[in-house]
Amino acid sequence: MAERALALLLAGQQAAGLWLARLGRRLGLYRLLPATGRARGDVPGWVLITLMSAVLVAGLLAIAGPALQKMFNEAMDQVHP
């Protein structure tokens, strides 16, 4: 079950990367020219990166949350005053 969840996560991550690459090409974010004129910077790109990072963290936490909680509880049980 864990292998399937990891495979789904990796497939989703790959699909998201491809989607972001296509979006970047469509918006012209691949250009390495200095901003001129009415350019406002790459705010939509940074917002997208922030949202994708939050989604990845939430996904990893949903998958690995119980295991991390178990590891934390076991470590705390080994601490002696």
Side-chain angles (χ1 to χ4, degrees), residues 18 34 39 41 48-49 55 69 73-74 81:
L18 290 173
L48 197 56
I49 288 170
V55 168
Q69 187 174 14
N73 288 335
E74 288 174 359

Side-chain angles (χ1 to χ4, degrees), residues 8-75:
L8 286 173
L9 180 65
L10 291 176
Q13 198 173 21
Q14 184 179 16
L18 290 173
W19 181 80
L20 282 173
R22 277 190 238 122
L23 179 66
R25 270 187 254 123
R26 202 174 278 168
L27 295 175
L29 299 179
Y30 60 90
R31 291 179 287 161
L32 297 176
L33 301 173
T36 58
R38 296 177 21 198
R40 296 181 306 161
D42 191 20
V43 173
W46 284 109
V47 169
L48 197 56
I49 288 170
T50 304
L51 287 174
M52 288 303 300
S53 299
V55 168
L56 284 174
V57 168
L60 287 173
L61 188 58
I63 292 171
L68 290 172
Q69 187 174 14
K70 180 182 174 190
M71 278 183 10
F72 176 77
N73 288 335
E74 288 174 359

